Structure formats: C-alpha cells, structure tokens
Amino acid sequence: MRLYDTATRALADLPEPGERPIGMYFCGPTVYQRIHVGNARPFVVSMWLRRWLQEQGHDVTLVENITDINDKIYRAAPGASARLAADAARWYVEDTDLLGLGRPDHEPLATGTIPEIVALIEELVRRELAYEAGGDVYFRVGRFEDYGRLSGRHDDAAATRNPSEEEEQSALKEDPRDFALWKAHKEGEDTWWDSPWGRGRPGWHIECSAMAEKYLGPVFEIHGGGLDLIFPHHENEIAQSRGAGREFARIWTHNGMLRFAGEKMSKSLGNVVTLRDAVEEWGRETLLVLFLGAHWRKPMDYSDETLAAAKARADGFREVFRNPSEPGGSWEQLVDALEDDFNTPEALAVMHEWRDHDLLRRALDLFGLGSLAEQESAPPELDELARRRAEARTGGDYDEADRLRQEIEASGWEVRDVAGDSGYRLVPKR
C-alpha cells in the first residue's frame, strides 16, 4: 500500500503483510468540551485505515491519545480542570462510539504518562538539547538541524510562534523558537506533578512523543492527525524524539480540515456542530458516507447540501439490498482504489456500481456501514394496514387503498407493489 507522506511530499510504500508490524499513532483531542464534527475526522480516518490494513493481512496497533493537561483546560475550568478533563474525555469516547467504528487499541491520557514524559525531558537535558529556566524546561531548536523540515518553515518570522501554541515565558528562552517541554506550576492551576525542575506539568508537544514511544516503541510506521498540527505540534514532536535518538515515525499523514460555510470548523471561531448533534440529526451512516466522499488529504465541506447528498447515497445502498442480488464487479476494484493513497472517494464510486449483495456487504462492513445492508421489519400494525390495502386494490376500492397508503406513509414507511405472495413490500422512509 502507498500513502502520501507529508514529510517527503510523495507517496511512500508501507511494508508487505507479514514483513513487520505496523504501528499507527494519531493525535486525539484536547478535552474541555464536546468535540465537533471536524474533530472526528482523524478518528474516522485512523479507524478505517486500521481496518483496511488488517483486511490486507497486516498486524496493526493503533494508538490515539487524549490530551487532558493543557492551558485551554485550565482556562475553561479554573480550579476544576481535572474534573472537566475527566468528564470531557468520557464525552469524547461516548460521542465517537456513536459512529460504530470501535476503539483504538490504546487511548492513553497525558496524565497517565508523566513518568515517561519526565524521563524523556531528562534525556534531552543530558544531551544539551534542552535547558531549565525559571522552573520551565525549553527545547533548543537551534541545535536540531532538521527543524522545519516537515512544515517547510525554518527561520521565517512565523516560525517563532504559532497561535495554536500554549502560552510560554518568552523572556526565559535562549531563542524565540524554543518551546516548552516542562512548565512551572502557576497560581490558579489545580494540577501539578513533581519533577527534577520543581513542581509543574508537561508542555503539549512532549506528551505525544512520550505516549507514542510508550505504546509503539522508538520507531513506528504512521503518524497522523489534522493538517493544522503540522506546525508547531508535529514539527516539535520530531525534534524531541529524533533529538533523543529515536527514529520515530516513518510516514506522516495529515487529514484536511472540515469546512463549515467555506471556513474551517473551529471552536475558536464558534462555527461548530458537535458530533453528537450531527449524529442525532443525520444519523451515523450519513456522516460516514460524507467522510467517505472526501479524500482524507483534502478539505471536506459540511453543509445541508453535502449532507443531503450523503444521505441519498446511503439510501442508494439500502435500495440495493431491497432488490435481488446481481453478480458483477470484483473485490480487486476496491483494492486498487484503497491501495493507492487510501482513496475512499474512488472506493465509494466503485461500491455504487455493485449490485452483488455479498460483495457490497463486505465493503460496507469495512467502513462500519454494514447496517445499510440490514432489512428493517415494519411494525405488525403497519403490515396489517398494507395487507388491507392490497385487498382493497384487488377489490377495486382504490379510494380506500389510497387512504391506507397515506396512513402508512404518515407513520414513516412506504408501501411498494411487488410480485410475490403478499403483493407488497414495506420500506422505511429516510
């Protein structure tokens, strides 16, 4: 399989099945409120990619972290950040469970990885890649020659800061590009840990370096996350881990942002739709088909129009299973699409051509959409109305037949006339 590698700007080959295990690390959310639909995109991509690699015979371990120590959490719940983080971490699991894709193999919390974080910082200090200043510890960017390779940002003015970065004491830094590995405890912060540099807590970037190594070792195959994490978060992860002598990730994958009315969906912009609300309004199948229709590297538009189109596609799959199976198509068509940079829009187009129930069901199951193949049974009272309608039609009482049809439709079902003993089929209206 070949995946586009952000670090090299080219397609990179994954190992053949059985050659070596595949470790995958995807950056999860910073938890301080309900996640929005855009936050769910890396989760969906990672779960689908793991399923596909396993389908192809790979031994895969997927790790997706939860950041539960962060300036945003302190600001959101002064004096009660730990409780908010615990609640929001639970909400995140509950809400992503609504998608029906299962869970990653490991979902570590930053608070559960403090010993590993402290040990990694100590190693960087020993290598003189980090220094203590006023209880903080900073990484010396100038001593890591490859800094900026992932993002293409080196000595430009923008590389000295980033609006997604946590607040830091610039006056303590040797170089404005340096970033915090450990942050001294401040008044009003209700969580802290002891360290060789005093009481405090880790910076954002070091958490992921430590968690990835804890669960996947010093080198693993794929590191993923949103496009907005390339700089500074992933750039800093590389500096930390490779500075400490680890090869770290071989391939970097960054999913495009979800756009709401033409701009990135963002909590800071206030233009968010929570994942829970989206599932309740449109259903999990519609959301998953929407995700399928956009290549993981590209932006994805979230609107009533794109959701209505995804719903129509989902209904189209349901319709296939309401009719007899027709041979045609081959599994290799799907393989060709997904082995080439995990091209889900192409895979979706292939699946829409299939009328073979077994083939289509296998593909839908891969993406957590097997429910589209399930036939729902109408309530007995509606089946009785449909039976009476069929009798009315046979007897020529078309007014009564129309009245019964309208009553059935008012209950959310559609009655179709078909060949067979009963002469009708009940189908839920979507």
Side-chain angles (χ1 to χ4, degrees):
M1 181 179 183
R2 311 191 81 196
L3 282 177
Y4 181 83
D5 178 14
T6 307
T8 62
R9 313 300 195 273
L11 287 172
D13 289 310
L14 287 172
E16 293 298 316
E19 183 178 337
R20 62 176 179 264
I22 291 181
M24 297 169 53
Y25 185 91
F26 274 65
C27 284
T30 298
V31 286
Y32 58 98
Q33 61 186 28
R34 293 277 184 182
I35 67 164
H36 61 68
V37 181
N39 298 142
R41 195 174 191 193
F43 176 86
V44 172
V45 170
S46 69
M47 297 299 289
W48 280 347
L49 184 55
R50 181 183 67 170
R51 284 175 174 229
W52 177 244
L53 291 172
Q54 290 174 332
E55 166 74 24
Q56 293 299 90
H58 290 279
D59 178 12
V60 185
T61 300
L62 171 61
V63 180
E64 186 165 332
N65 78 294
I66 296 175
T67 297
D68 61 343
I69 316 168
N70 190 275
D71 284 351
K72 293 179 180 179
I73 306 173
Y74 288 130
R75 288 194 295 266
S81 70
R83 186 168 73 178
L84 173 62
D87 288 343
R90 186 183 71 253
W91 300 337
Y92 166 70
V93 172
E94 291 173 352
D95 293 353
T96 48
D97 272 348
L98 296 175
L99 296 171
L101 297 177
R103 305 303 314 169
D105 298 291
H106 303 284
E107 294 182 274
L109 300 171
T111 53
T113 321
I114 300 298
E116 292 83 0
I117 291 170
V118 170
L120 183 53
I121 297 173
E122 287 182 303
E123 185 169 353
L124 291 169
V125 170
R126 287 195 300 270
R127 290 170 176 255
E128 298 186 345
L129 283 167
Y131 58 94
E132 188 271 338
D136 292 351
V137 180
Y138 292 94
F139 185 91
R140 286 189 171 101
V141 168
R143 292 198 180 181
F144 185 73
E145 293 183 358
D146 278 347
Y147 192 80
R149 181 183 175 191
L150 179 70
S151 61
R153 299 168 71 165
H154 298 275
D155 296 323
D156 61 311
T160 64
R161 63 181 296 277
N162 187 285
S164 67
E165 184 108 46
E166 293 188 297
E167 295 177 7
E168 297 178 350
Q169 299 292 322
S170 297
L172 299 176
K173 298 181 181 183
E174 296 176 354
D175 182 324
R177 296 175 300 167
D178 295 349
F179 57 89
L181 303 175
W182 187 262
K183 306 178 78 170
H185 179 251
K186 300 178 183 63
E187 184 178 353
E189 294 180 349
D190 59 312
T191 56
W192 62 83
W193 291 262
D194 291 324
S195 80
W197 317 284
R199 180 177 286 180
R201 50 92 175 188
W204 175 31
H205 316 296
I206 196 70
E207 296 171 359
C208 283
S209 283
M211 286 186 278
E213 182 174 355
K214 179 177 180 178
Y215 291 94
L216 296 174
V219 57
F220 53 94
E221 215 67 39
I222 300 170
H223 194 314
L227 191 65
D228 56 340
L229 297 181
I230 294 178
F231 186 87
H233 187 48
H234 289 169
E235 195 75 74
N236 292 352
E237 283 185 54
I238 291 173
Q240 294 161 166
S241 295
R242 294 189 178 166
R246 283 65 158 164
E247 184 178 342
F248 206 49
R250 291 190 169 113
I251 297 174
W252 290 81
T253 61
H254 291 95
N255 62 267
M257 297 294 98
L258 187 144
R259 298 183 300 198
F260 186 83
E263 60 183 2
K264 184 184 79 169
M265 186 176 287
S266 165
K267 300 185 188 78
S268 61
L269 295 175
N271 61 345
V272 301
V273 176
T274 69
L275 176 61
R276 177 169 289 270
D277 286 346
V279 171
E280 289 179 355
E281 180 177 1
W282 290 95
R284 55 174 290 277
E285 294 96 343
T286 293
L287 287 182
L288 291 178
V289 172
L290 179 71
F291 281 113
L292 270 178
H295 194 286
W296 61 271
R297 285 195 285 114
K298 304 297 184 182
M300 186 177 78
D301 289 324
Y302 184 94
S303 67
D304 287 345
E305 291 76 17
T306 58
L307 284 159
K311 179 180 179 297
R313 284 180 163 181
D315 287 341
F317 286 129
R318 291 188 179 97
E319 189 65 24
V320 171
F321 293 96
R322 293 168 184 156
N323 294 284
S325 179
E326 300 176 14
S330 72
W331 186 251
E332 288 306 310
Q333 293 175 279
L334 193 76
V335 172
D336 289 344
L338 296 180
E339 290 291 282
D340 180 16
D341 201 24
F342 203 57
N343 192 335
T344 59
E346 180 62 26
L348 184 62
V350 167
M351 291 157 59
H352 268 294
E353 297 298 318
W354 290 348
R355 296 296 180 267
D356 185 305
H357 289 187
D358 291 337
L359 193 60
L360 182 55
R361 184 180 289 107
R362 181 183 176 188
L364 291 172
D365 281 338
L366 179 68
F367 297 108
L369 289 166
S371 56
L372 297 178
E374 298 172 359
Q375 298 298 309
E376 296 182 50
S377 298
E381 59 271 20
L382 293 185
D383 192 66
E384 173 62 19
L385 292 178
R387 185 190 63 78
R388 287 166 48 194
R389 174 185 173 276
E391 290 179 349
R393 281 173 56 83
T394 300
D397 191 348
Y398 297 110
D399 289 341
E400 176 65 4
D402 285 344
R403 187 191 68 78
L404 290 166
R405 176 183 54 78
Q406 291 170 7
E407 188 174 347
I408 292 168
E409 290 181 350
S411 298
W413 288 74
E414 174 187 350
V415 61
R416 298 180 181 179
D417 298 314
V418 298
D421 294 339
S422 66
Y424 65 85
R425 176 188 299 148
L426 286 168
V427 177
K429 295 171 64 178
R430 300 286 181 179

